[in-house]
Amino acid sequence: MALTKGTSSVPCDECISTVFKRKLGRCKRCMWQLLILSLVCWPLWFVYYSDTPKVVESVALLLFSCVFTLLLLLHLLMWAILRVRR
């Protein structure tokens, strides 16, 4: 990842934005992985932790489930936008 000119070690905005533009909605491997992770995590949470939502393990699994699902939805949204633009 390229760095901005100067002594800053923070990547420039262009580098950060191009990484997301290259991957979101285009990487089918990521989309399949997120789909599988979502389909595994949600049932695990409902079966083992839905009755105790304040336990640390429950909160962690719920957080991971939400993140996997939201990232999958973001991928699918970008995929749909890219398909319409073609």
Side-chain angles (χ1 to χ4, degrees):
M1 194 179 283
L3 300 176
T4 56
K5 293 181 180 178
T7 59
S8 176
S9 63
V10 178
C12 66
D13 291 334
E14 184 62 31
C15 296
I16 293 172
S17 68
T18 57
V19 169
F20 288 115
K21 286 179 184 176
R22 279 188 285 152
K23 298 278 289 187
L24 275 178
R26 292 183 172 100
C27 184
K28 294 199 186 308
R29 187 183 77 189
C30 291
M31 288 189 265
W32 279 111
Q33 288 174 350
L34 289 168
L35 176 67
I36 291 168
L37 287 169
S38 294
L39 290 175
V40 168
C41 286
W42 281 112
L44 283 176
W45 185 81
F46 279 114
V47 169
Y48 293 110
Y49 296 111
S50 62
D51 56 340
T52 57
K54 294 184 180 181
V55 177
V56 173
E57 296 88 355
S58 175
V59 173
L61 188 58
L62 186 61
L63 177 72
F64 283 120
S65 300
C66 290
V67 169
F68 294 148
T69 304
L70 290 173
L71 189 54
L72 177 62
L73 290 175
L74 185 60
H75 267 284
L76 294 174
L77 177 68
M78 286 302 295
W79 179 79
I81 289 171
L82 291 172
R83 297 284 287 192
V84 168
R85 286 187 180 175
R86 288 185 190 174

